[in-house]
């Protein structure tokens, strides 16, 4: 008789609750109602959020199905779901941890006309919306195409103008303004361009509605309208006993209005934010939401309280001193009492944590990337630091990551980049091809080539030159140029490299002269 196999889930011990410091425990013990928590990097904000939810469920009997946890990225939402699931194991249905936009989509989808439910709404990404706007601006069917001021008409077909319009529409929606209200505001401000933009926004909304499309700003706007409606809003607010918001500094006025509607009557709201990390103003985020929190969520007993987390666990005194010197110049805006804000700005670092701050400058991005690669390799070979214990932070993934990947790979440093951190155009398999096509298009149009693009092309996977080979090729080209024109001083190698890329015969001649061996 064949054996019988039974699949069983391995027994796992429920994690013990972490030890909280006094400032974290004060958040967990908050008696109820809205509260703002100021939390800097490394102060244990995620742990505090998880323990706050756990305490409400396990000690106060809150139904986890009536808890809503909101954040701003899928990665952060996934981490919160994982940690809440581990912490609340054995409870009933786990809490909902999701992004603002995912929650808004669920609200709009649920509340839409039942006749339209079989045809789900489709969200447009920013590039897709740009393309739609350009199409409508240049299309003959646009009712307002000829109404734009003469000084703006040359820009109508450009993607830059489309992005400006997209930002204009998003800001209007973030402040709860419809096209008619924007038009009235434009009249008072004597801005004819705003008047046309408002009329065009109305046209865009009509076209997208007919195709069952909407963008992210419009999604939040419609969810806010539903949440503030006397009928649907009351139904939504009654669903939640506790709303938790992470990264509150990234909210915009529309999201704040949505939260006010969801927490009417002094319902529990725990919002965690760091005004010093407000970096998404270009997307419509408004750090003023932190400064006005006490008044925005005031209850019958007075303004909402503000707490702060006061222990920095991620770094030691040296890094703490450096960060304080930087944020000291940012200042502060009213709405938070001085003592609480000072405690947030000066968390006590853990003395055992080491660390140092070193500032270096470089002449070129390539030199910077090469230095980073060398530094990591030395840390691994000389100090025995594991590759998995190293990280490189960049300001712009699309601009910095491809160059860093090449330098790290050339130095033998293993690289792992999260897939959602790098857009498709910057993927190592895609970026070199796009660069080659961009160079070819500029050459065909008779335009000059940028020195940095030529260097990236020749040292990338198509050119396959390293820094030494590039210099050797430049010297060979200068010798050939000087000999051809019988000059004692050759032209700059950057100009010669650009010409060599445009003339394969010259490039081959330089390679034969000892300049290197680019790919054919």
């Amino acid at each position: 008789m064949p054996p019988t196999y039974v699949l069983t889930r391995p027994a796992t011990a429920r994690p013990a609750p972490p030890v909280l410091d006094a400032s974290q425990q004060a958040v967990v013990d908050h008696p109820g109602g809205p509260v703002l928590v100021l939390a800097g990097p490394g102060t244990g904000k995620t742990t505090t959020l998880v323990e706050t939810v756990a305490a409400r469920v396990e000690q106060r009997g809150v139904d986890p199905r009536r808890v809503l946890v909101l954040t701003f990225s899928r990665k952060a939402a996934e981490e919160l779901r994982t940690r809440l699931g581990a912490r609340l194991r054995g409870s009933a249905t786990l809490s909902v941890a999701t992004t603002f936009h995912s929650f808004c989509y669920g609200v709009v989808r649920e509340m839409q006309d039942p006749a339209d439910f079989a045809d789900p709404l489709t969200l447009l990404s920013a590039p897709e919306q740009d393309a739609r706007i350009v199409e409508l601006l240049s299309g003959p069917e646009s009712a307002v195409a000829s109404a734009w001021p003469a000084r703006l008409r040359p820009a109508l077909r450009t993607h830059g103008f489309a992005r400006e319009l997209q930002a204009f529409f998003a800001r209007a929606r973030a402040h709860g303004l419809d096209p008619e209200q924007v038009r009235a505001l434009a009249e008072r401000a004597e801005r004819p361009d705003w008047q046309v933009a408002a009329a065009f926004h109305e046209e865009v909304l009509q076209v997208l509605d007919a195709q069952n499309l909407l963008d992210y700003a419009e999604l939040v706007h419609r969810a806010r309208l539903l949440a503030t409606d006397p009928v649907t809003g009351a139904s939504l607010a009654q669903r939640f006993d506790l709303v938790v918001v992470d990264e509150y500094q990234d909210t915009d006025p529309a999201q704040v209005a949505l939260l006010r509607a969801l927490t009417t009557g002094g319902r529990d709201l725990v919002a965690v934010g760091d005004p010093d990390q407000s970096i998404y103003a270009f997307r419509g985020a408004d750090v003023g939401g932190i400064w006005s929190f006490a008044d925005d969520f005031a209850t019958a007993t007075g303004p909402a309280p503000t707490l702060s987390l006061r222990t920095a666990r991620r770094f030691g005194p040296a890094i703490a001193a450096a960060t304080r010197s930087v944020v000291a110049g940012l200042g502060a805006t009213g709405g938070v009492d001085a003592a609480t804000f000072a405690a947030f700005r000066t968390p006590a670092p853990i003395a055992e944590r080491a660390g140092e701050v070193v500032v270096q400058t470089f002449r070129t991005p390539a030199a910077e990337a090469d230095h980073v690669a060398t530094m990591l390799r030395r840390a691994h070979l000389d100090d025995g630091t594991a590759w998995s214990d190293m990280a490189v932070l960049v300001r712009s993934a699309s601009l910095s990551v491809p160059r860093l990947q090449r330098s790290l790979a050339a130095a033998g440093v293993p690289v792992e980049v999260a897939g959602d951190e790098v857009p498709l155009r910057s993927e190592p398999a895609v970026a070199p091809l796009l660069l080659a096509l961009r160079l070819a298009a500029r050459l065909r149009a008779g335009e000059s080539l940028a020195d940095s693009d030529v260097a990236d092309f020749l040292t990338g996977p198509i050119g396959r030159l390293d820094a030494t080979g590039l210099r050797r090729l430049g010297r060979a080209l200068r010798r050939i140029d000087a000999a051809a024109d019988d000059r004692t001083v050759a032209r700059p190698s950057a100009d010669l490299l650009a010409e060599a890329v445009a003339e394969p015969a010259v490039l081959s001649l330089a390679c034969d002269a000892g300049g290197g061996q680019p790919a054919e």
Side-chain angles (χ1 to χ4, degrees):
M1 184 175 179
T4 301
Y5 297 95
V6 178
L7 297 179
T8 60
R9 185 186 299 273
T12 56
R14 188 175 183 178
V19 177
L20 304 179
D21 62 38
S23 62
Q24 290 176 303
Q25 193 64 49
V27 177
V28 174
D29 294 340
H30 179 66
V35 60
L36 173 66
V37 182
L38 299 180
T43 54
K45 65 168 185 173
T46 304
T47 297
T48 304
L49 289 180
V50 171
E51 290 306 307
T52 298
V53 174
R56 299 298 177 91
V57 172
E58 297 175 344
Q59 299 174 18
R60 305 188 193 181
V62 173
D63 187 340
R65 293 170 296 183
R66 297 180 59 81
V67 177
L68 174 64
V69 182
L70 296 171
T71 187
F72 282 88
S73 70
R74 291 189 296 270
K75 191 177 298 183
E78 181 180 355
E79 179 186 1
L80 281 168
R81 282 195 297 269
T82 300
R83 294 182 62 168
L84 284 167
R87 182 66 179 84
L88 295 174
R89 184 173 295 144
S91 299
T93 305
L94 298 178
S95 311
V96 175
T98 185
T99 65
F100 259 99
H101 292 112
S102 179
F103 173 75
C104 290
Y105 182 82
V107 170
V108 173
R109 180 86 166 116
E110 177 186 351
M111 300 294 181
Q112 71 180 128
D113 191 320
D116 300 329
F117 196 78
D119 187 15
L121 293 166
T122 301
L123 287 174
L124 289 175
S125 64
E128 289 172 335
Q129 188 183 10
D130 285 348
R132 295 277 178 165
I133 291 175
V134 170
E135 180 182 349
L136 290 173
L137 283 171
S138 58
E141 67 278 3
S142 175
V144 298
S146 61
W148 290 99
R151 63 184 177 82
L152 294 178
R153 290 176 191 172
L156 295 185
R157 295 177 180 269
T158 66
H159 284 277
F161 188 70
R163 284 192 291 270
E164 291 291 332
L165 278 176
Q166 181 184 3
F168 183 86
F169 301 158
R171 291 295 178 88
R173 284 315 204 195
H175 288 280
L177 301 176
D178 59 30
E180 282 295 330
Q181 292 170 312
V182 174
R183 188 179 293 113
L185 180 63
E187 291 178 358
R188 292 196 298 271
E190 297 182 351
R191 291 293 301 264
D193 50 344
W194 288 7
Q195 291 181 339
V196 183
F200 183 68
H201 189 196
E202 188 171 11
E203 186 176 290
V204 170
L205 291 175
Q206 291 172 354
V207 172
L208 295 184
D209 281 344
Q211 300 173 355
N212 214 21
L213 302 172
L214 75 167
D215 59 40
Y216 285 92
E218 185 67 19
L219 174 66
V220 176
H221 175 73
R222 296 189 184 184
R224 181 187 66 83
L225 292 179
L226 290 169
T228 54
D229 180 86
V231 178
T232 56
S235 172
L236 284 172
Q238 291 173 1
R239 296 181 184 182
F240 306 110
D241 293 329
L242 171 64
V243 178
V244 177
V245 183
D246 194 11
E247 306 294 354
Y248 190 76
Q249 75 277 358
D250 294 335
T251 55
D252 61 32
Q255 292 161 343
V256 172
L258 174 63
L259 289 172
R260 283 203 304 267
L262 292 176
T263 57
T264 56
R267 284 185 173 83
D268 287 356
L269 169 66
V270 180
V272 179
D274 180 355
D276 295 336
Q277 294 189 58
S278 179
I279 59 174
Y280 292 115
F282 67 95
R283 295 181 183 174
D286 186 0
V287 70
I290 283 186
W291 309 127
S292 62
F293 183 92
D295 294 328
D296 288 341
F297 295 93
T299 64
T301 59
T306 301
L307 303 175
S308 60
L309 301 186
R310 307 187 176 198
T311 304
R313 297 168 172 78
R314 192 175 297 166
F315 44 76
I319 296 179
T323 59
R324 289 170 187 168
S325 67
V326 172
V327 300
L330 298 179
T333 305
V336 178
D337 68 272
T340 301
F341 190 78
F344 149 72
R345 275 276 178 88
T346 57
I350 296 178
E352 293 77 12
R353 290 282 189 181
E356 60 177 346
V357 177
V358 178
V359 179
Q360 295 179 310
T361 58
F362 303 90
R363 296 180 63 86
T364 65
E368 178 187 34
D370 290 342
H371 176 79
V372 170
T374 301
M375 184 169 56
L376 296 179
R377 184 172 177 82
R378 285 178 176 173
H380 180 69
L381 297 178
D382 298 344
D383 302 333
T385 305
W387 296 122
S388 58
D389 291 337
M390 303 180 190
V392 180
L393 305 182
V394 299
R395 180 179 177 85
S396 170
S398 60
L399 296 178
S400 303
V401 168
R403 182 180 288 109
L404 271 171
Q405 282 183 300
R406 291 196 298 270
S407 296
L408 293 174
V413 178
V415 183
E416 180 179 346
V417 181
D420 58 355
E421 292 290 342
V422 181
L424 179 62
R425 67 177 183 276
S426 300
E427 288 285 353
V430 178
L433 177 60
L434 292 180
L435 175 60
L437 293 174
R438 186 164 61 249
L439 293 176
R442 289 177 178 172
L443 289 172
R444 185 171 183 177
E447 300 176 1
S448 60
L449 304 182
D451 297 346
S452 58
D453 285 345
V454 172
D456 287 344
F457 174 75
L458 291 174
T459 57
I462 297 179
R464 298 204 302 269
L465 289 177
D466 56 17
T468 302
L470 186 65
R471 289 193 295 270
R472 191 164 59 243
L473 176 59
R475 288 196 297 269
L477 288 170
R478 287 199 301 271
R479 289 196 300 269
I480 294 173
D481 181 65
D485 292 341
D486 195 22
R487 292 198 304 265
T488 56
V489 179
R491 289 179 293 160
S493 59
D495 296 341
L496 297 173
L497 287 170
E499 293 179 4
V501 170
E503 297 291 342
V506 176
L507 189 61
S508 298
L509 183 61
C511 291
D512 293 340
Q517 188 60 48
E520 296 182 359

